Amino acid sequence: MTIEEQQEFIDKIKETIMPYAQNMTKEQIENLIKTVEKQNPNLPFGFADMLLEQIHFIKYGEKK
């Protein structure tokens, strides 16, 4: 991913996911991401982990 694509990805997470994730626990977020990953086998390998890492970083300022 280019720097611009990374920023666009982070901005999209902040816009679409973080309003919900702000009110969820780490466990709830992880369970939701795992469920979505299982229901969508066409997602690229590692996408769910990358998304979860970004959510944790945005919400808690830490990596998973």
Side-chain angles (χ1 to χ4, degrees), residues 2-50:
T2 66
I3 293 173
E4 292 83 15
E5 290 171 329
Q6 289 175 358
Q7 188 59 51
E8 186 177 324
F9 182 63
I10 291 168
D11 290 344
K12 190 55 83 173
I13 292 170
K14 287 179 180 178
E15 176 185 325
T16 60
I17 297 173
M18 290 313 296
Y20 300 100
Q22 284 302 119
N23 298 314
M24 297 172 74
T25 65
K26 278 186 177 185
E27 184 178 274
Q28 289 173 322
I29 295 167
E30 290 170 4
N31 288 336
L32 180 60
I33 297 293
K34 287 177 187 176
T35 300
V36 170
E37 182 179 37
K38 287 178 186 174
Q39 293 176 354
N40 295 281
N42 58 334
L43 287 174
F45 178 77
F47 180 79
D49 291 333
M50 178 177 63

